[in-house]
Amino acid sequence: MSNNTINSYKKAVKSKYQMEKKSGNSIYLSQPSQANLRKLCWQKFENSSNQNDLNIFKTFFGFSFDLTQKNTFTTKTDRFKPVGAFFRGETASPTDDVIEIAAILVDFNPRPFNKFRSILVMDEASGVVCQNELLLSEKGRLLCNEKTEKDKVVDVVGEDLSMKASFLDFRNKNSGGKIKSWKQNIIGVSFVFFLGFVVSYYFFSKKQCMQWSGNHYEEVSCDLDVQSVGSYRVVVPLDRSVLNLQKVVVTDTTVFFKNGEALIWYAKTANGIEFFNTHGRHPDNNHALKPVTAYIIKKYVK
């Protein structure tokens, strides 16, 4: 049984935040304000069926997640104040429920803490199994803080935390129950990860980037460079949270608001004003999109 502590869990979640704020969710996490964290939290739970996450939501907010209760959820913005303080390093002792919500926002795995503390992880660098604290490296790899060789591994986690392989009982059944040498174990684990890499490369890497195509994003291969007359369209890493962003044409019959909330967002550019179907950043100048207002509608909508 591993002996991972809440402090090692907190350190691992914080390390995952440092990576995430530079990647897909940087729009929310680079500036972890209460409003930004609230918006990200709603997005995370909109399509979530993870019962552990739903239980944590209920514990943290005092009510169950419900898609029809977005207005009620909006009033809970102040609940994200300690979460933002944790991300910014302004508090040394966040409560357990704050750490659990933070783990969900940065999609840290394994979570929750009850799952994390019981996991045994092989350190690929030395081929031994962690028996104490786990640390998260800059590349997202779980590493041992202290190492103790064991004959059983519950989970082996590599550089990609989403890629797990279970190896129960590293015993040689044909040798009277003797434990295989750690070198044999490393060869076996390395083969599994190599096989996973090959499968991922040929089946999933072809379209792991996206490109703005006039009025919407398209999934493209990361090695694609499209040079058009007088312009260069940049290929960026795939971010499914903004993949549905689209430029829209509005008129005086367009529905701009629902229940007091904006349905249309806009940005001013060198060519005038442009409207979009959701929040995010302008694909050309990276400026944050703003929710439409009655003033903007009156001034610019024909």
Side-chain angles (χ1 to χ4, degrees):
M1 179 64 69
S2 181
N3 188 32
N4 301 314
T5 66
I6 188 66
N7 283 332
S8 60
Y9 185 57
K10 179 175 66 175
K11 292 175 184 177
V13 172
K14 188 66 175 294
S15 297
K16 187 63 158 57
Y17 162 72
Q18 296 297 333
M19 291 183 289
E20 284 295 303
K21 73 176 185 178
K22 300 175 183 178
S23 59
N25 289 314
S26 60
I27 185 175
Y28 300 111
L29 295 175
S30 59
Q31 297 292 331
S33 66
Q34 297 175 50
N36 280 343
L37 296 178
R38 185 200 70 217
K39 293 174 184 177
L40 178 59
C41 184
W42 184 263
Q43 286 187 15
K44 292 289 185 182
F45 280 92
E46 272 185 317
N47 300 309
S48 175
S49 58
N50 185 312
Q51 191 56 53
N52 285 329
D53 288 357
L54 294 172
N55 291 340
I56 290 169
F57 182 99
K58 185 175 181 179
T59 300
F60 189 76
F61 294 104
F63 58 91
S64 299
F65 179 80
D66 188 341
L67 283 170
T68 65
Q69 299 298 316
K70 187 173 184 179
N71 288 340
T72 301
F73 177 76
T74 303
T75 65
K76 302 296 181 179
T77 303
D78 60 336
R79 292 290 290 128
F80 292 96
K81 185 175 182 179
V83 183
F86 168 64
F87 284 148
R88 291 189 296 270
E90 297 172 358
T91 176
S93 303
T95 60
D96 292 354
D97 57 347
V98 166
I99 300 174
E100 295 293 9
I101 283 291
I104 295 172
L105 294 182
V106 300
D107 199 24
F108 174 81
N109 280 298
R111 69 173 188 267
F113 172 64
N114 283 342
K115 183 177 181 181
F116 175 86
R117 68 179 177 180
S118 63
I119 198 170
L120 290 171
V121 177
M122 174 172 286
D123 186 344
E124 293 177 314
S126 61
V128 298
V129 176
C130 303
Q131 180 64 13
N132 207 304
E133 279 196 349
L134 304 180
L135 302 176
L136 195 68
S137 72
E138 292 180 358
K139 294 184 178 181
R141 176 188 295 173
L142 284 173
L143 301 175
C144 306
N145 190 28
E146 295 182 12
K147 308 177 182 71
T148 303
E149 205 164 357
K150 290 291 179 180
D151 63 323
K152 286 189 178 182
V153 181
V154 177
D155 283 278
V156 179
V157 182
E159 291 191 3
D160 183 353
L161 293 181
S162 66
M163 293 179 60
K164 290 187 178 181
S166 294
F167 290 84
L168 303 178
D169 199 356
F170 278 134
R171 293 180 183 272
N172 189 343
K173 296 181 180 179
N174 298 320
S175 61
K178 293 183 179 180
I179 302 173
K180 293 181 180 180
S181 69
W182 67 268
K183 290 184 178 180
Q184 291 175 306
N185 294 338
I186 286 299
I187 293 174
V189 172
S190 300
F191 175 76
V192 170
F193 282 107
F194 174 75
L195 183 61
F197 171 79
V198 172
V199 172
S200 298
Y201 179 80
Y202 282 103
F203 290 95
F204 300 105
S205 66
K206 295 303 180 182
K207 288 190 177 182
Q208 287 299 305
C209 287
M210 63 184 186
Q211 182 184 64
W212 184 252
S213 180
N215 60 359
H216 67 284
Y217 280 110
E218 291 182 350
E219 295 184 48
V220 297
S221 172
C222 293
D223 57 7
L224 175 67
D225 289 330
V226 178
Q227 182 79 42
S228 59
V229 178
S231 67
Y232 180 77
R233 297 188 177 182
V234 179
V235 175
V236 298
L238 182 63
D239 182 357
R240 295 195 179 279
S241 66
V242 299
L243 193 60
N244 64 339
L245 180 69
Q246 293 183 14
K247 187 187 298 185
V248 296
V249 177
V250 300
T251 68
D252 57 356
T253 61
T254 299
V255 178
F256 289 94
F257 303 97
K258 183 178 181 180
N259 297 329
E261 294 192 4
L263 299 178
I264 302 296
W265 297 66
Y266 76 94
K268 293 182 179 179
T269 70
N271 298 322
I273 195 164
E274 295 178 348
F275 295 94
F276 295 82
N277 65 330
T278 186
H279 57 80
R281 290 186 174 274
H282 195 283
D284 291 330
N285 57 32
N286 201 36
H287 291 169
L289 302 180
K290 300 179 181 179
V292 73
T293 63
Y295 172 79
I296 292 296
I297 296 171
K298 182 177 180 181
K299 183 175 182 180
Y300 293 102
V301 178
K302 301 298 182 180

